[in-house]
Amino acid sequence: VPRQLTDTEIEEIIERFGNSALILKKAGFTGVQIHGAHGYLVSQFLSPLVNQRTDSWGGTAEKRMKFVLEVYRNIRKKVGNEFPIGIKVNSADFQRGGFTEEESIEVIKKLDEIGIDLIEVSGGTYEKPAMTGYKSKKSTLEREAYFMEYVEKARKIIKTPLMLTGGFRTVSIMEKAIAQNKVDIVGLARPFSIYPQLANQIFEKEIDLIKIPPFKTGIKFLDTNGFVEIKWHEQQIHRLGKGKGPKPKLSPYSVLFRNILETMRYQIFGS
């Protein structure tokens, strides 16, 4: 049965964030990123829908952001001032009663104030996966960059470099976003599971439009919540991890069937 973390447990978790960052620095990594989006732990502390605490870690927006601020401070203390620390944060949760855009703006203002090196903007949770895309009737740039409106607001109030991930598929649009000083870094995720050499292809001008296969099972619930699409890319990543090439024609039905089998195996054998 889920229960509320104690103060001691929260402090231990914060310490683990810092220790993990220090291990990565010693291992040769050149920076770390705090995942503060998509419904993971930092995101849960920020969300009034999930965080229903009434102590110093929850309640008001200011108290709910305490966890992420302490995580950042602990990491900074351990890795030093010259080691880059970024964060991925939701522009909003897109859930009734969840983390709002106004609250998100206050969080990034505070992170900017205390010295974070990069803020990556995303949105949604796995219950409401806005990060997998939605339809827009606005300009081509805003259609491709799902959270561009938020980034434009953020640009006016913070000095920290901004990274926008979610929707970019046309290289010329990416270049336009940077040239117009809307973002400092363009983030790409799912395209790399199909185009492992995408960065080189972009810089060598071998590609302009990144084509992603359509995902349709005919089951409306699965086609609209992004589940099969996420699992499709996950299987591509597993292929790449085994030294195989991507499989653009991988059937969404086989992805769904495999996930059902894996779920059943986990429920029966526990692994």
Side-chain angles (χ1 to χ4, degrees):
V1 177
R3 63 167 179 82
Q4 185 171 287
L5 287 167
T6 65
D7 280 355
T8 300
E9 288 172 327
I10 292 175
E11 290 164 4
E12 288 175 351
I13 291 171
I14 292 169
E15 189 72 11
R16 290 177 193 175
F17 271 97
N19 290 340
S20 298
L22 181 58
I23 290 168
L24 290 170
K25 181 182 179 181
K26 290 179 177 179
F29 283 77
T30 56
V32 292
Q33 183 186 51
I34 302 164
H35 198 334
H38 302 166
Y40 293 106
L41 185 60
V42 173
S43 177
Q44 289 175 24
F45 266 94
L46 290 170
S47 169
L49 186 62
V50 180
N51 183 354
Q52 298 180 11
R53 303 178 70 101
T54 57
D55 58 6
S56 63
W57 301 98
T60 66
E62 183 177 3
K63 289 181 178 179
R64 283 185 275 112
M65 75 169 74
K66 178 183 175 182
F67 181 77
V68 67
L69 300 181
E70 291 303 315
V71 165
Y72 167 74
R73 290 183 177 119
N74 194 290
I75 294 174
R76 178 59 74 203
K77 181 180 178 180
K78 287 183 167 65
V79 301
N81 292 329
E82 302 304 315
F83 191 74
I85 304 172
I87 186 169
K88 182 199 290 282
V89 65
N90 273 355
S91 56
D93 287 350
F94 299 98
Q95 288 178 285
R96 187 184 300 276
F99 187 55
T100 66
E101 182 177 300
E102 292 74 23
E103 291 173 330
S104 180
I105 289 290
E106 291 304 311
V107 171
I108 67 169
K109 281 169 65 176
K110 188 62 179 179
L111 288 166
D112 173 69
E113 179 185 314
I114 63 177
I116 201 150
D117 297 299
L118 177 70
I119 295 173
E120 178 186 2
V121 176
S122 189
T125 68
Y126 285 98
E127 294 173 279
K128 191 72 173 179
M131 63 282 196
T132 63
Y134 56 85
K135 295 179 180 179
S136 171
K137 296 180 180 179
K138 298 187 178 182
S139 69
T140 304
L141 174 57
E142 290 173 316
R143 264 200 320 273
E144 286 209 6
Y146 302 149
F147 313 108
M148 182 57 75
E149 286 186 3
Y150 176 93
V151 166
E152 290 176 339
K153 293 176 184 177
R155 177 66 93 189
K156 296 175 182 178
I157 59 174
I158 66 172
K159 296 180 181 179
T160 302
L162 286 166
M163 174 177 176
L164 179 56
T165 302
F168 281 111
R169 293 295 179 267
T170 309
V171 175
S172 57
I173 296 297
M174 301 177 203
E175 294 173 339
K176 181 179 179 181
I178 294 175
Q180 293 181 351
N181 198 35
K182 293 182 180 292
V183 296
D184 299 288
I185 301 174
V186 167
L188 296 170
R190 284 173 288 168
F192 275 99
S193 72
I194 307 172
Y195 302 88
Q197 300 300 319
L198 182 59
N200 290 333
Q201 289 176 291
I202 289 175
F203 286 122
E204 293 171 8
K205 300 187 182 303
E206 295 176 356
I207 190 171
D208 183 58
L209 178 62
I210 302 168
K211 296 181 180 180
I212 305 293
F215 303 89
K216 296 293 182 183
T217 63
I219 304 172
K220 187 176 181 180
F221 170 73
L222 294 175
D223 292 340
T224 56
N225 72 4
F227 171 80
V228 176
E229 184 174 0
I230 290 170
K231 288 295 180 181
W232 189 92
H233 285 282
E234 180 183 306
Q235 288 195 24
Q236 299 290 359
I237 292 170
H238 283 301
R239 289 181 60 84
L240 296 176
K242 294 176 182 177
K244 300 178 181 180
K247 191 175 181 180
K249 294 184 179 181
L250 179 64
S251 168
Y253 299 103
S254 68
V255 171
L256 182 60
F257 181 68
R258 180 173 178 176
N259 186 74
I260 292 172
L261 289 179
E262 289 176 350
T263 301
M264 291 174 61
R265 183 176 62 188
Y266 178 80
Q267 289 175 340
I268 295 170
F269 299 107
S271 64

